Amino acid sequence: MKLAILSDIHANLEALTACLAHARRHGADAWAFTGDLVGYGADPHACLGIVRDLAAQGAIVLRGNHDDAALGGLWPDMNPVSREAAVWTRSRLGEAERDFLAALPYVVARKDLLFVHASAAQPENWEYIVGPAAAARCLAATEAKIVFGGHVHHPRLYFSARGDVSAFVPRPGIAVPLSAGRRWLALAGSVGQPRDGNPAASYLLFDGVSRRLTFYRVAYDWLTAAAKIRAAGLPNTLAQRLEHGL
Amino acid sequence: MSGRVGDFRILGPFRSGSMAELFEAEAPSGEHCLVKRPKLGFGSHPACYAGFETEQMVLGRLAGPHVPRCLGQGEETADGRGPWLAIERIEGQSFEAIAAAAPLPAAEVARLGVLLADALHALHRQNVVHQDLTPAHILLTVQGRVVLIDFGLACHGDLPDLAATEGGAATLGSPAIIAPEQVLGVRGDPRSDLFAAGAILYRLATGRYPFGSVASRWGLHRRRWFDPPPPRLENPEIPEWLQEIILHCLAVRPERRYASAAQLAYDLAHPDQVVVGERGRRLRRGGLRLAVKRWWSERQLDLAEPARPVRQLERAPHLLVAVDTDDQNGALAEAMRHTLRRLIAHDPHWRITCVGVLEPSIMTEQDEGASIGHSLHTAKLAILHQWAHPLALPRERLRFHVLTGGEAAAQLVDYARAAHADHIVMGARGSSVMRRYLGSVSARVVAEAPCSVTVVRVPQAQDG
């Protein structure tokens, strides 16, 4: 089994299709979408169509804070750009899309794997895992050996070490064996809105047999994705972010 | 233990160490191999598992003749005893056994040192630092090849550093051998392995370790400030060039050591080219004043995150320049020197070897005695020195070599491989007396070289 984990698609159709094609070329036969399917990008309808089709075939799909926002669950300190994008996204969703988003779970467990958008510790609070302390809280909240998540838009790998947690910045394309003697938290980065200075889309491929995890970066047509954001009348900063990966 | 792990049949115990047990086993192919299992359970050191999984992870990514092949691995077995690793069984003598006969003659120390440095360079090129290089972890096979074993403390530049997270003395390495920066917890610098190699050469040449074998806290830390006794003080028969090489490896600061194992291998293989300085001649150890100076400079040291191992090698390229000894001052020679200057501009630890070719036809025509061949050889060397003179580069960064006999392209390629060259610079022949020797070879060198090749051409004036 080769499981592709895609997080924070943010309605970026160009990035999503590029990652799916890349993952299929590398043998992916199972899919997990760890939240924030929509929000920011110009193609919520098309992206949800693709994810719903894969969900019908067994893909794991999770709820993210921006999916919540598109259903009306705006949070108090939401910045104006996110708020504007959420309101715009809501106007583009039909009943079928809204029902699909409303039914998404916060957490899914499969054997010794756990999938969540933000943190396994109170997932509905959308905590950002920005360092080993937050990663330790996440791992402490579950028995799972490996937790997959997103939300922070930076690819990271955390692992347990003598009662502590260490962080590792993964190198794209290098398979890391996740040994059974430790617990691991893999943050997939973002498919549709990378923020680590590299505009290429980020996703994970996990080999369930060898238990090797590979972080990938995929170049996609971000100029088109940015042009669509401008054409839709969404804030220009959202288009600029895609061009610079910031 | 008997029975099976994965597809491997256990034949019997092989050896039991403090961290892991080794068993003789048979692979599905029928090949005899070893199966390694960490000592887990109540009372075992937590580093046992970290060391084991580090080895599992690193060996799985290594290739080549200088490491045992990884034949299989798994996390669980039917007997519930946890993870295992199947590796190639290397038949050979360990450097520990060889060191029992130390002090060894200088030529033998150099021969073993070249084999070790070649193996280390192959490891470092794969982005791995061994971090626990001891004579017991170096095997010399019957075919005369060095194989490095036991990667429980190794550091891979592209993978999580699991061994580092354990901390404590058990994961530090061998106290008699480890580098000063390793004492301070710095990992991932290939030059730490070169310090260890220096300590091992020191032992082969003198019969003892440079800082003794006492594992006291002081014994561990004094290497941060004090030089070891010069090897020639321990064994007066050691030549100055060998002391120069050994103490170069044992420099306190990594940036004062050889920049790569390839440079160490080259010097051990070419003793006549080692520039012997005060370090090679000294018969006293550095005094307290030097130690205080080092103590102070260490306090200013910024122990930043180490770069990836391969980054260090990228900063230390070995450039091979194929020199046409008939053309020292022409436009092509000048263009080649200009190319060299550009290539070394951004790499602080470069080395250049100027290579000339002694044509076989001249050898046979004039080979009326060894003395003629010898004088041709020294004449070529002198020309190579002259060729490099306008570069005005420090002598210790330059090496000179004359290839004799055989076909020029094949010789150059073989030499580049043996000398771990990273880049070959050669001229495109327009017209010259040497064309029949060098002019036809560049295409073949480009096709067969183990590294990048730059063919330098003087811009031609365009017609019309």
Side-chain angles (χ1 to χ4, degrees):
Chain A
M1 180 202 73
K2 276 196 173 178
L3 171 68
I5 298 113
L6 298 91
S7 198
D8 298 81
I9 295 162
H10 287 292
N12 185 333
L13 181 63
E14 286 70 28
L16 174 61
T17 50
C19 286
L20 291 175
H22 185 277
R24 285 197 177 98
R25 278 203 306 280
H26 285 78
D29 51 14
W31 310 89
F33 299 92
T34 52
D36 279 4
L37 308 172
V38 297
Y40 298 141
D43 278 309
H45 198 271
C47 288
L48 283 176
I50 291 173
V51 173
R52 275 166 66 198
D53 285 350
L54 288 168
Q57 297 163 34
I60 295 165
V61 188
L62 293 166
R63 176 193 297 247
N65 49 322
H66 285 266
D67 305 317
D68 246 11
L71 292 172
L74 305 180
W75 53 95
D77 58 346
M78 199 171 187
N79 69 56
V81 170
S82 299
R83 187 179 295 267
E84 190 180 339
V87 170
W88 180 90
T89 301
R90 199 187 322 173
S91 73
R92 300 295 153 130
L93 298 182
E95 196 178 337
E97 282 88 25
R98 278 199 295 275
D99 288 349
F100 176 72
L101 288 179
L104 293 179
Y106 287 103
V107 180
V108 168
R110 290 282 160 86
K111 293 185 184 161
D112 59 350
L113 311 180
L114 187 91
F115 301 83
V116 64
H117 176 63
S119 172
Q122 297 181 298
E124 67 283 2
N125 282 358
W126 312 119
E127 182 188 4
Y128 287 92
I129 296 177
V130 289
R137 279 195 294 281
C138 171
L139 285 172
T142 169
E143 298 277 289
K145 282 276 191 193
I146 306 172
V147 180
F148 293 106
H151 194 42
V152 293
H153 291 225
H154 289 258
R156 282 288 182 282
L157 183 61
Y158 293 95
F159 55 97
S160 64
R162 289 234 274 183
D164 216 342
V165 169
S166 293
F168 173 67
V169 180
R171 290 187 63 78
I174 307 275
V176 180
L178 305 187
S179 62
R182 292 176 194 270
R183 301 180 60 222
W184 304 82
L185 167 61
L187 303 183
S190 172
V191 169
Q193 198 194 69
R195 293 179 191 165
D196 59 354
N198 177 0
S202 174
Y203 84 97
L204 306 179
L205 199 55
F206 178 64
D207 186 322
V209 179
S210 69
R211 293 178 82 87
R212 283 165 187 266
L213 176 69
T214 310
F215 289 74
Y216 282 111
R217 298 308 287 260
V218 180
Y220 73 96
D221 181 2
W222 55 77
L223 295 176
T224 295
K228 283 182 175 177
I229 285 173
R230 291 190 178 101
L234 283 159
N236 188 41
T237 53
L238 294 175
Q240 286 172 335
R241 295 195 90 153
L242 298 191
E243 288 160 351
H244 300 104
L246 288 170
Chain B
M1 191 183 90
S2 61
R4 306 184 75 85
V5 284
D7 296 332
F8 296 80
R9 195 160 68 88
I10 300 294
L11 304 173
F14 179 70
R15 197 170 58 229
S16 180
S18 59
M19 306 289 247
E21 289 176 290
L22 277 170
F23 301 91
E24 283 187 89
E26 190 183 80
S29 64
E31 177 183 346
H32 276 220
C33 62
L34 296 175
V35 164
K36 195 171 194 175
R37 313 194 74 165
K39 284 190 172 169
L40 298 178
F42 186 74
S44 73
H45 194 281
C48 290
Y49 184 73
F52 179 81
E53 64 177 341
T54 298
E55 178 151 45
Q56 222 181 13
M57 193 170 74
V58 171
L59 261 192
R61 292 197 66 91
L62 286 174
H66 301 294
V67 290
R69 277 177 296 131
C70 177
L71 302 172
Q73 50 177 281
E75 292 290 348
E76 295 298 332
T77 50
D79 63 11
R81 287 194 39 192
W84 57 276
L85 175 66
I87 52 176
E88 178 187 8
R89 182 172 175 173
I90 305 293
E91 301 288 350
Q93 193 182 17
S94 83
F95 268 37
E96 189 61 55
I98 294 169
L104 304 177
E108 181 63 1
V109 175
R111 186 184 75 86
L112 294 167
V114 171
L115 297 174
L116 171 59
D118 282 346
L120 276 179
H121 195 61
L123 184 70
H124 295 162
R125 272 192 167 168
Q126 294 179 72
N127 211 1
V128 172
V129 182
H130 191 288
Q131 309 277 183
D132 190 19
L133 194 68
T134 70
H137 295 160
I138 306 165
L139 301 180
L140 181 63
T141 69
V142 282
Q143 296 87 16
R145 179 178 89 234
V146 156
V147 178
L148 306 172
I149 58 168
D150 213 325
F151 289 84
L153 287 185
C155 178
H156 191 301
D158 288 333
L159 295 174
D161 194 1
L162 302 178
T165 61
E166 294 305 318
T171 59
L172 203 56
S174 173
I177 292 171
I178 61 167
E181 67 275 13
Q182 237 176 304
V183 176
L184 296 170
V186 175
R187 291 168 52 79
D189 191 330
R191 295 169 297 191
S192 301
D193 282 352
L194 298 186
F195 185 94
I200 291 165
L201 293 177
Y202 191 107
R203 174 153 173 228
L204 293 175
T206 67
R208 61 181 291 276
Y209 281 122
F211 298 96
S213 48
V214 190
S216 71
R217 200 176 146 74
W218 170 241
L220 198 58
H221 284 272
R222 62 173 288 132
R223 75 197 62 188
R224 288 162 54 193
W225 312 295
F226 288 93
D227 287 320
R232 280 157 44 75
L233 203 60
E234 304 284 328
N235 175 8
E237 288 178 26
I238 294 172
E240 290 176 348
W241 60 263
L242 185 55
Q243 170 161 314
E244 177 76 34
I245 292 173
I246 290 174
L247 292 182
H248 195 175
C249 291
L250 290 172
V252 174
R253 296 277 287 266
E255 63 272 20
R256 300 266 170 91
R257 291 174 214 149
Y258 283 102
S260 70
Q263 293 184 359
L264 169 62
Y266 192 95
D267 277 10
L268 285 165
H270 302 85
D272 55 320
Q273 300 225 23
V274 176
V275 181
V276 177
E278 180 278 328
R279 185 164 52 191
R281 286 189 290 270
R282 79 170 73 129
L283 288 170
R284 303 171 44 187
R285 41 202 307 177
L288 194 60
R289 211 169 144 158
L290 183 62
V292 169
K293 207 172 126 193
R294 285 193 182 130
W295 170 80
W296 179 248
S297 75
E298 186 187 81
R299 289 177 64 89
Q300 321 295 313
L301 200 62
D302 180 20
L303 289 176
E305 281 286 298
R308 297 165 61 227
V310 285
R311 271 299 292 141
Q312 170 59 26
L313 297 200
E314 284 162 7
R315 288 150 53 90
H318 183 196
L319 306 174
L320 220 67
V321 52
V323 172
D324 178 353
T325 43
D326 283 353
D327 171 31
Q328 291 178 56
N329 300 306
L332 183 59
E334 199 38 61
M336 286 172 72
R337 286 189 284 258
H338 182 63
T339 300
L340 280 177
R341 283 192 202 96
R342 270 197 315 207
L343 284 172
I344 63 177
H346 300 291
D347 297 317
H349 305 298
W350 54 268
R351 254 197 198 183
I352 294 175
T353 300
C354 300
V355 180
V357 178
L358 205 53
E359 313 80 45
S361 58
I362 295 175
M363 289 286 282
T364 45
E365 278 165 24
Q366 301 193 358
D367 193 12
E368 291 161 351
S371 61
I372 294 174
H374 183 73
S375 68
L376 284 171
H377 187 271
T378 50
K380 281 276 177 199
L381 271 179
I383 293 171
L384 291 176
H385 278 263
Q386 272 305 305
W387 189 92
H389 187 73
L391 287 166
L393 295 172
R395 173 64 187 88
E396 67 274 11
R397 300 289 198 96
L398 294 171
R399 299 290 184 272
F400 301 92
H401 191 81
V402 177
L403 298 168
T404 47
E407 204 270 318
Q411 278 209 65
L412 197 55
V413 168
D414 286 349
Y415 188 73
R417 192 169 281 121
H420 306 290
D422 298 290
H423 204 135
I424 298 173
V425 175
M426 57 195 309
R429 308 278 97 207
S431 59
S432 90
V433 189
M434 286 293 287
R435 182 176 186 159
R436 65 185 180 281
Y437 304 115
L438 276 174
S440 59
V441 302
S442 63
R444 203 178 144 194
V445 171
V446 167
E448 295 176 11
C451 58
S452 301
V453 181
T454 294
V455 180
V456 178
R457 177 167 282 126
V458 178
Q460 304 288 308
Q462 292 194 356
D463 296 332

